Amino acid sequence: MPSETSPRPGRPRDADKDLAVLIAARQLLAEVGYAQATVVAIAKRAGVNTPAIYRRWPTRQALLEEAVHGPGGHTLPEPTGDLRADLATWVRVFLARADSPAARAGVPGLLADSQTEEARRRLLAIGTPVRKAFAELLGSAVDDGRIALGADVDLIFEILSGTTTFHALLRDAEEGEDFVARLADALYVLASAGR
């Protein structure tokens, strides 16, 4: 009789299939929009069957959340020791993610469909590694005396995330570097102010 800690029977998840599904979801979001990016269409594009998708993601919304808000090929910036420059890099990465065709098509629909506590928990879970890396960036700046203890890391992260998303959805991307500089300056002031 298997123990509670024994692995479940069956094959392990195939990371290549996971990636193929996420890529297909991003492509379809960009090409046909949120409403038409169905599980059936995503499965067909990825070359998998729909049960394979539902074994990985419990709902269409969960899949599209990960496609839009998951890593998506953008690696997290490495700290350089210059907090102002590091914040500008974080703004560029967040802006690039928010300005992707999949995010521009998917974010409005996901926001409309994310009114449940479960949906909010999923979104927070997807963003946990990114939040952690951002907190470590500010923590190291506190540790070496570049900023004072007490910066509200969660608030600064949410300003970064929300402002870049709003900007990408509603503003012209041509003002990119000016926007990056202004937002990085504002985040730096907030981080430096402490409590």
Side-chain angles (χ1 to χ4, degrees):
M1 176 181 216
S3 73
E4 293 276 330
T5 59
S6 297
R8 290 177 34 194
R11 291 179 291 179
R13 279 178 58 164
D14 182 343
D16 290 339
K17 277 188 183 176
D18 291 0
L19 183 59
V21 169
L22 291 170
I23 289 170
R26 289 183 194 115
Q27 290 171 344
L28 283 169
L29 281 167
E31 292 168 18
V32 300
Y34 182 78
Q36 299 302 315
T38 64
V39 171
V40 171
I42 293 167
K44 183 177 179 182
R45 172 74 60 99
V48 303
N49 58 37
T50 55
I53 289 179
Y54 284 117
R55 281 193 298 273
R56 291 163 168 78
W57 294 275
T59 64
R60 170 183 176 265
Q61 184 180 351
L63 164 58
L64 294 179
E65 285 166 356
E66 187 169 343
V68 170
H69 299 296
H74 295 280
T75 56
L76 295 177
E78 289 292 325
T80 65
D82 178 345
L83 183 59
R84 169 59 183 73
D86 290 343
L87 288 169
T89 301
W90 275 81
V91 172
R92 283 187 200 95
V93 169
F94 271 58
L95 192 56
R97 290 177 67 177
D99 198 36
S100 74
R104 291 175 64 85
V107 167
L110 287 170
L111 287 173
D113 288 349
S114 295
Q115 301 306 312
T116 66
E117 188 61 35
E118 178 187 343
R120 288 189 285 272
R121 275 196 306 271
R122 275 196 316 265
L123 283 173
L124 284 173
I126 289 170
T128 296
V130 179
R131 279 180 182 269
K132 183 175 184 268
F134 189 76
E136 289 170 358
L137 171 71
L138 294 187
S140 69
V142 168
D143 291 346
D144 64 19
R146 287 178 285 148
I147 61 173
L149 181 65
D152 189 335
V153 176
D154 287 333
L155 177 63
I156 296 169
F157 182 85
E158 290 188 8
I159 291 170
L160 166 65
S161 179
T163 305
T164 52
T165 298
F166 184 82
H167 185 84
L169 290 174
L170 300 178
R171 300 281 189 128
D172 189 352
E174 290 177 12
E175 60 183 65
E177 274 309 305
D178 180 54
F179 170 77
V180 167
R182 287 184 292 125
L183 183 54
D185 286 343
L187 296 174
Y188 184 79
V189 168
L190 284 172
S192 300
R195 285 193 182 137

